Amino acid sequence: MLMPMASRAADLDSLLAYDAALPLHLKVHKREYRHGAWVEDISYAGAGGNGTVLATLVRPIFVNAPYAGVVWGHWFEPAASNSNR
């Protein structure tokens, strides 16, 4: 049975809710240039004090150029033996 659209939207809103006033604590751990883009291994503070999030950030070398952002989410569960980022 499917949830009503309004309920699903409310669930998504709660997943994406965060306090933008809190510090991000962004750290770049590794950076390399690949095919016209910077590929960076980064970490930042998780929403709601949920630890540190590890991520890979890919961005064009032209910082002032307009470009779209894409969030690619996939399997990630730190405690799982088959987890990755």
Side-chain angles (χ1 to χ4, degrees):
M1 183 169 129
L2 289 176
M3 248 193 277
M5 194 63 131
S7 295
R8 288 187 286 178
D11 287 345
L12 288 175
D13 285 349
S14 69
L15 285 174
L16 300 174
Y18 67 96
D19 184 348
L22 292 175
L24 189 56
H25 299 298
L26 175 70
K27 293 181 184 171
V28 178
H29 301 281
K30 180 181 172 187
R31 173 190 285 170
E32 62 183 83
Y33 176 79
R34 289 192 217 161
H35 308 288
W38 287 112
V39 179
E40 299 170 328
D41 288 334
I42 65 169
S43 63
Y44 58 92
N50 290 326
T52 300
V53 177
L54 300 175
T56 301
L57 176 64
V58 180
R59 58 188 180 87
I61 60 171
F62 303 109
V63 176
N64 294 326
Y67 53 90
V70 176
V71 176
W72 178 25
H74 57 96
W75 176 248
F76 178 71
E77 185 178 345
S81 63
N82 61 345
S83 176
N84 65 43
R85 53 180 183 154

